[in-house]
């Protein structure tokens, strides 16, 4: 049951910026990994396992179909775009890691890639928040969201899908440790 996809390669290619010629293996691996890293903490172990079982057996309930199609798929799409951006930019070969290029294209600059990833992250967090709010508003319909299990490996759903940085009042790298004097110096 570990290879059950909440969204397929076709869905990603038809509903996002990913080109048709992207290697299906890279995309499939990215979907599986992203699903486990992003969706499992959003819905919790109990509901996550129920969704995987119903998808695998072709027995999705109307409620879970709504949850998947209306809420989880859009969130997962943007998480996959975010999490696969670097994977699709580079390729690990025998002798080194190389940047992918093609004829008549220009490789993206790091700053542009960062901006693109920020774009994906903002949308992924927004759609993820919609998943959580939907589940909270319909908690009686999704009992496994409130009771995801009680084993040692149970993942409990998180209630906030937004991340933020920590502002320390100075630009990064503006303090130096003066080892000889054992103190911090402003730069």
């Amino acid at each position: 049951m570990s290879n059950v996809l909440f969204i397929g390669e076709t869905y990603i290619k038809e509903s996002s910026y990913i080109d048709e010629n992207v290697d299906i293996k890279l995309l499939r691996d990215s979907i599986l990994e992203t699903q486990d890293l992003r969706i499992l903490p959003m819905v919790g172990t109990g509901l996550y396992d129920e969704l995987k079982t119903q998808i695998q057996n072709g027995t999705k309930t109307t409620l879970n179909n709504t949850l998947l199609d209306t809420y989880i798929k859009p969130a997962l799409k943007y998480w996959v775009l975010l999490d696969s951006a670097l994977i699709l930019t580079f390729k690990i070969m025998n002798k080194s890691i190389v940047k992918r290029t093609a004829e008549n294209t220009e490789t993206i600059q790091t700053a542009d890639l960062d901006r693109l990833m920020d774009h994906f992250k903002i949308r992924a967090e927004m759609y993820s928040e919609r998943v959580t709010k939907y589940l909270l508003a319909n908690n009686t319909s999704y009992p496994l969201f409130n009771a995801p299990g009680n084993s040692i490996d149970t993942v409990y759903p998180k209630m906030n899908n937004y991340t933020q940085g920590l502002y320390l009042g100075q630009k990064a790298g503006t303090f130096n440790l003066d080892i000889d004097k054992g103190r911090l110096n402003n730069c």
Side-chain angles (χ1 to χ4, degrees):
M1 186 169 64
S2 62
N3 290 333
V4 176
L5 297 174
F6 287 6
I7 58 174
E9 301 92 351
T10 304
Y11 174 84
I12 282 283
K13 288 180 178 181
E14 289 177 354
S15 68
S16 74
Y17 312 106
I18 293 184
D19 196 69
E20 287 293 321
N21 68 356
V22 171
D23 186 352
I24 290 174
K25 182 191 178 312
L26 290 174
L27 206 47
R28 175 178 271 280
D29 291 346
S30 183
I31 292 168
L32 282 170
E33 185 176 293
T34 301
Q35 194 172 283
D36 282 342
L37 294 173
R38 306 293 188 164
I39 304 303
L40 173 58
M42 191 186 319
V43 301
T45 300
L47 185 53
Y48 185 79
D49 288 345
E50 179 183 74
L51 291 169
K52 284 175 65 173
T53 301
Q54 288 183 7
I55 291 168
Q56 184 176 37
N57 296 335
T59 58
K60 286 188 291 183
T61 64
T62 302
L63 279 170
N64 283 345
N65 199 48
T66 298
L67 174 62
L68 281 164
D69 289 348
T70 307
Y71 296 96
I72 290 178
K73 284 183 178 183
L76 185 53
K77 172 180 73 172
Y78 281 103
W79 284 122
V80 168
L81 288 170
L82 174 67
D83 291 347
S84 64
L86 285 174
I87 304 303
L88 297 175
T89 303
F90 300 100
K91 184 172 185 173
I92 299 173
M93 313 257 319
N94 278 345
K95 296 189 180 201
S96 70
I97 299 173
V98 297
K99 185 183 268 187
R100 296 173 188 264
T101 60
E103 291 180 32
N104 303 323
T105 62
E106 183 179 328
T107 57
I108 192 168
Q109 300 299 314
T110 303
D112 293 330
L113 180 60
D114 288 343
R115 283 186 23 234
L116 181 65
M117 291 174 69
D118 285 343
H119 170 82
F120 294 151
K121 182 180 179 194
I122 289 166
R123 279 151 183 78
E125 288 177 341
M126 182 205 57
Y127 282 112
S128 296
E129 192 66 16
R130 285 184 182 174
V131 172
T132 300
K133 286 183 178 183
Y134 171 77
L135 289 169
L136 288 170
N138 296 283
N139 65 0
T140 56
S141 299
Y142 295 97
L144 291 174
F145 179 70
N146 294 321
N150 57 6
S151 65
I152 189 109
D153 62 343
T154 297
V155 176
Y156 292 87
K158 60 184 181 177
M159 297 300 145
N160 182 7
N161 295 290
Y162 293 106
T163 58
Q164 54 193 9
L166 179 63
Y167 178 68
L168 299 174
Q170 296 284 331
K171 289 184 180 177
T174 59
F175 288 99
N176 270 344
L177 177 61
D178 187 340
I179 295 179
D180 293 335
K181 297 178 185 169
R183 65 178 184 202
L184 288 175
N185 295 323
N186 258 336
C187 296

